[in-house]
Every structure is written in structure tokens, then in C-alpha cells.
Amino acid sequence: MPELKGPLRDLMHDADTSAALSDRILRACSMHDVPAHTYLQHVADEPGGMWGLAEGALAVEFAPGTRDPQKGYLLLPPVWVGEGGVVSGVRRMVGLSTTRRSVLLHFPAQHFASIARDEPLIWKWVSKVQNKNFERSLGMVDALMVRNSEARVAAVLLQLGGRLGSEANVPRVLDITQADLATIANLSRTVLNQALRSLASKGVIELGYSTITVADPAALRTSSG
């Protein structure tokens, strides 16, 4: 358990979140070993606690307007999500499901409220979690505004996986089908396949069965224009 919590603890470490507060948050969490393709929450579920992804991967889906929920993002560890339930208490705006076997920490909303009563700096921590997830959202919006098809595919692949800061250039395997990627990138399968083959021929990505490996994130960034 300590080695699984370590990366999530590292995300908390800054001047505003003391080691004592980090430990208190982690002690309030329960650990869950979750099979692949299991929902943690659906769009419009009742508000609840936060999730810390320690191992595995998550798919994020949303339902804009009156459309059915669709996959729009992938998250890789370490990452905290689900903060909207504890910040605003509104129904879930996104769905979360595992794409492979995953290990997660669950931080119940009632434990958050209990800690917040005498540790106001927990609000700074959760606001930073929210800002990072907002940064991911803005990054995807920017990627989808790229006009050139191959550059847009590269830009979208850069965003999937949620890598930020020092982790941005770490190779990663994305659990995504080409059909899902075509929907996310708003491209036809024909155009997407051409772009993927071109990127693969350059050694930037590797195509697998229902997976795409980002082999060279730095080169992919160059391809994204």
C-alpha cells in the first residue's frame, strides 16, 4: 500500500499541503482493486468522493447537451479526479470507468468535510486538483481546434493520458480503439487511419489491438504543429 500511495502523495506535496495533511487525507482513503471495464461513476450520478488513480487507466466520458455519454478522455496515474462532488456537491458531470485492471484510492465526501472543518488548507489542495483537470480540458479543446488532420490527431494523442509537467514526455500506452479516437478527434475513419499510418511510419506511435502507444511524445508534439 505505501508504494501505491507514494505517487499520489507526491501530487499533494507543495508549500500549502503539509506532510501531516497529506497523511491525513491518505489515511481517510480506502483502496480498491478494480477490474477492467468497470464504472466508478456515471454521468448524472449523485455527488460523492474523489478518486486517486494509483495503477491502471481510466476513461472519462461526458454527455453534452442531450446526447448520450461518449468517451472523451483517458487518464493515467498518478492523478486525482472526482473533485466536483466534494467542491460543489452537484451531480457527476463526467463518467469514469477503468480501461484495464486498476488500483484506486477513494476519498469519501464525508471524510473530506470532516477534515475541512479543522484543516482549511485542504481547500487549496482540492482547488489545485481542479485546476489541473481544467488544464487537461483546455488542452483538449486547443487540440481539437487544430485544422490539419494529421496535426490534430497528434495533438489529441498528446492530450490523452493526462500527462503534465515532468511526465509530459514519458512514453505511454493508451487503451483506445481507432473508432473511439475518430469520434474524439471528430474525423472520419479514413482520414484518421491515414494520419495514424503516417505517424506510425515515423516511429512516433505504435498501433496495437485496441491500443495506441505514444512511443515518442516529443516527436509527437512536433507533429502536432
Side-chain angles (χ1 to χ4, degrees):
M1 185 177 295
E3 62 271 18
L4 291 175
K5 289 186 174 183
L8 291 169
R9 184 196 305 273
D10 291 344
L11 290 181
M12 302 176 180
H13 184 67
D14 59 34
D16 295 318
T17 309
S18 67
L21 177 55
S22 297
D23 287 342
R24 188 172 177 185
I25 291 170
L26 292 173
R27 285 197 304 271
C29 294
S30 56
M31 185 167 284
H32 301 261
D33 192 328
V34 184
H37 312 300
T38 301
Y39 272 93
L40 305 177
Q41 62 186 54
H42 293 83
V43 174
D45 275 355
E46 293 292 332
M50 295 173 62
W51 296 96
L53 178 64
E55 284 186 358
L58 296 177
V60 182
E61 61 180 36
F62 57 96
T66 58
R67 297 199 295 274
D68 291 335
Q70 65 180 40
K71 186 183 297 183
Y73 208 83
L74 296 175
L75 290 168
L76 296 176
V79 65
W80 287 96
V81 290
E83 69 280 359
V86 299
V87 171
S88 60
V90 298
R91 289 180 178 271
R92 299 293 195 180
M93 298 182 70
V94 302
L96 296 172
S97 61
T98 57
T99 62
R100 62 183 86 156
R101 174 190 163 271
S102 301
V103 178
L104 298 110
L105 301 184
H106 184 240
F107 185 25
Q110 63 268 30
H111 291 349
F112 177 92
S114 176
I115 295 173
R117 280 194 286 271
D118 61 303
E119 285 278 11
L121 285 178
I122 196 174
W123 288 104
K124 278 201 170 184
W125 169 66
V126 78
S127 71
K128 289 178 180 178
V129 171
Q130 193 168 53
N131 284 342
K132 282 189 177 295
N133 288 330
F134 185 57
E135 180 182 345
R136 293 184 175 97
S137 300
L138 287 180
M140 183 59 81
V141 170
D142 182 63
L144 293 173
M145 294 175 69
V146 176
R147 296 180 65 86
N148 177 273
S149 298
E150 182 173 329
R152 187 193 306 173
V153 172
V156 168
L157 288 173
L158 272 176
Q159 294 301 317
L160 294 175
R163 297 296 197 182
L164 299 174
S166 61
E167 296 292 311
N169 287 326
V170 176
R172 56 193 183 271
V173 179
L174 304 176
D175 301 329
I176 191 167
T177 66
Q178 293 186 27
D180 282 337
L181 181 58
T183 299
I184 292 171
N186 197 24
L187 294 170
S188 70
R189 286 290 301 276
T190 300
V191 172
L192 175 73
N193 289 341
Q194 291 173 347
L196 290 176
R197 285 198 300 270
S198 175
L199 292 170
S201 69
K202 301 171 186 175
V204 177
I205 63 170
E206 298 170 5
L207 303 177
Y209 178 72
S210 297
T211 64
I212 297 174
T213 299
V214 179
D216 191 340
L220 190 62
R221 183 171 290 102
T222 300
S223 297
S224 70

